[in-house]
Amino acid sequence: MQLDELKKAGCDEIITDKVSGSVSERPGLERVDNKLRKGDTLVVWRLDRLGRSLRHLISYVSALEEKGIAFHSISESINTETPSGKFMFHVFGALSEFERNLIKERTRAGLEAARARGRQGGRPAKLNAEQIALAKTLYSNKKHSIDAICKMIGVGKTTLYKYINQ
């Protein structure tokens, strides 16, 4: 859907990223930065496709403006080539960040409520108490290699060390 909208908007080249906008290292965004020149327009489907924080969005779009590069967000109908577009950019950026913060807050509250009801998050334990005791005994005896202990217990090295160091 996003690609269709970008093509409909007349984008000459579409660069995608496979990582979240909240991640600091984004190869696709770096490729965009290297390709953009004065007079170009960076088009995104939605503001949250470019960045996850208002601070990042504002600084990034401000840097584009300083380089003479326009910014356009299709979904929010924002075009920073106009004063009203600049204003709308800041308003929608603030609303996007507010929405993300609400989602984080609700998620955190939901996890706390689940914990209060006795629900434990994460993966179930791989080993029971008896298996952990056996692993610790085999490890402390130093008669078997780590690989051999892992095969006997049925876990990988990382898991074995996690239980031994508990």
Side-chain angles (χ1 to χ4, degrees):
M1 179 175 80
Q2 295 177 38
L3 294 175
D4 292 340
E5 290 296 321
L6 290 168
K7 287 175 187 172
K8 206 184 312 180
C11 295
D12 295 331
E13 186 173 353
I14 298 172
I15 298 174
T16 60
D17 238 338
K18 299 292 183 202
V19 296
S20 168
S22 62
V23 176
S24 59
E25 290 185 30
R26 297 171 57 196
L29 188 57
E30 289 176 25
R31 285 198 323 267
V32 167
D33 288 338
N34 292 333
K35 287 185 176 279
L36 288 172
R37 300 290 178 256
K38 185 175 184 171
D40 289 346
T41 301
L42 173 62
V43 180
V44 296
W45 180 65
R46 272 182 47 175
L47 285 177
D48 64 359
R49 302 293 90 193
L50 182 60
R52 293 290 185 221
S53 74
L54 178 59
R55 183 179 308 162
H56 174 257
L57 283 170
I58 291 172
S59 68
Y60 189 80
V61 173
S62 296
L64 290 176
E65 189 177 342
E66 288 173 14
K67 295 176 187 175
I69 300 167
F71 175 75
H72 179 74
S73 175
I74 297 170
S75 295
E76 293 89 1
S77 298
I78 296 172
N79 185 344
T80 60
E81 292 175 303
T82 67
S84 61
K86 287 180 186 178
F87 172 74
M88 290 303 294
F89 166 72
H90 289 283
V91 169
F92 277 104
L95 290 173
S96 294
E97 186 172 28
F98 176 68
E99 180 183 19
R100 279 190 303 277
N101 288 335
L102 282 178
I103 291 168
K104 283 181 191 176
E105 190 176 294
R106 286 187 201 122
T107 302
R108 204 173 299 121
L111 289 171
E112 288 174 11
R115 281 189 208 104
R117 289 189 307 269
R119 291 205 38 139
Q120 195 70 28
R123 290 183 176 179
K126 185 84 173 164
L127 302 178
N128 61 34
E130 190 176 295
Q131 291 171 313
I132 295 169
L134 175 61
K136 288 182 177 182
T137 302
L138 291 171
Y139 182 78
S140 63
N141 287 343
K142 297 184 181 184
K143 291 182 181 178
H144 302 284
S145 70
I146 297 298
D147 288 333
I149 297 170
C150 289
K151 285 180 185 173
M152 285 185 245
I153 306 289
V155 296
K157 289 180 184 179
T158 305
T159 304
L160 176 69
Y161 283 117
K162 180 184 101 172
Y163 284 108
I164 287 172
N165 292 326
Q166 280 182 342

